[in-house]
């Protein structure tokens, strides 16, 4: 009786050793879902585009080709993304008409708040803040204000990639009130409305 039980136990152990690996091989592989894309963190980048006076033609001769740098920080909370950004741009001498002549935009610095919705690696965002623009005298204008504070509103789309890189397209409208100029017609103050369309690349870290 004892020998029979021993034989049965031994046979069972051998069968388990032989069948165990085969049964494990038949189990479906474990699937680990990749982590969701994250927009949180600091970033730096560059941008280039065009600064122009009137819609809808951003490539007219009165416009200037722009370029610059930006840095900022994003915080993601679910699908919502909030952030802040500073940027500096060279505006290429985009022309604006004033009383008696023209002035040109040469430089701009801006501090902006951002808010958007993320769809995994795609971010749709709006932005708003203050802009400091450097105006130079142009045709028939003997002097201009120089640096002048205005406000900025904009929107854009950004696409994230692996390795911390992302690419964006952004449109900004800048309104600068009370820009003072002097021409042969005397002194005047003009509200300057400027548009900028740009593409950029950011590196997130």
């Amino acid at each position: 009786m004892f020998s029979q039980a021993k034989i049965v136990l031994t046979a069972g152990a051998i069968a388990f050793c032989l069948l165990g690996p085969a049964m494990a091989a038949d189990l479906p592989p474990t699937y680990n879902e990749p982590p969701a894309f994250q927009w949180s963190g600091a970033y730096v980048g560059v941008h280039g585009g065009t600064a122009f006076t009137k819609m809808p033609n951003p490539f007219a001769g009165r416009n200037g080709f722009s370029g610059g740098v930006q840095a900022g920080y994003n915080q993601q909370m679910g699908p919502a993304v909030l952030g802040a950004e500073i940027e500096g741009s060279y505006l290429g001498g985009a022309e604006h008409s004033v009383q008696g002549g023209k002035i040109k935009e040469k430089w701009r610095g801006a501090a902006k708040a951002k808010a958007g919705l993320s769809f995994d690696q795609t971010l749709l965002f709006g932005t708003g803040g203050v802009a400091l623009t450097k105006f130079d005298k142009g045709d028939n204008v003997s002097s201009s204000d120089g640096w002048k504070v205005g406000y900025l509103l904009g929107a854009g789309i950004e696409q994230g990639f692996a390795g911390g890189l992302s690419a964006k397209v952004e449109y900004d409208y800048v309104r600068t009130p009370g820009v003072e100029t002097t021409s042969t017609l005397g002194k005047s103050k003009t509200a300057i409305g400027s548009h900028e369309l740009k593409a950029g690349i950011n590196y997130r870290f």
Side-chain angles (χ1 to χ4, degrees), residues 51-74:
F52 53 103
T53 305
K54 296 179 180 179
M55 299 289 276
N57 183 4
F59 304 106
R62 62 181 176 268
N63 303 329
F65 288 99
S66 64
V69 296
Q70 68 268 356
Y73 185 88
N74 290 326

Side-chain angles (χ1 to χ4, degrees), residues 101-146:
K102 296 180 179 179
I103 58 174
K104 298 180 179 182
E105 290 179 314
K106 298 304 292 279
W107 301 93
R108 177 176 295 131
K112 307 183 292 184
K114 294 172 62 179
L117 285 176
S118 66
F119 301 88
D120 193 24
Q121 292 179 234
T122 302
L123 176 64
L124 301 177
F125 65 89
T127 185
V130 295
L132 185 63
T133 304
K134 173 69 163 58
F135 294 96
D136 280 356
K137 59 186 180 181
D139 295 345
N140 301 319
V141 171
S142 57
S143 68
S144 68
D145 257 344

Side-chain angles (χ1 to χ4, degrees), residues 9-98:
L9 290 174
T10 303
I14 293 172
F16 179 80
C17 292
L18 293 175
L19 294 178
M23 293 174 65
D26 291 337
L27 294 175
T30 302
Y31 174 73
N32 294 321
E33 187 174 347
F37 189 86
Q38 278 292 318
W39 289 97
S40 294
Y43 63 88
V44 295
V46 296
H47 63 263
T50 180
F52 53 103
T53 305
K54 296 179 180 179
M55 299 289 276
N57 183 4
F59 304 106
R62 62 181 176 268
N63 303 329
F65 288 99
S66 64
V69 296
Q70 68 268 356
Y73 185 88
N74 290 326
Q75 181 64 49
Q76 183 168 351
M77 296 164 286
V81 178
L82 300 177
E85 182 178 285
I86 56 174
E87 68 176 20
S89 302
Y90 172 69
L91 303 175
E95 291 184 337
H96 297 268
S97 296
V98 295

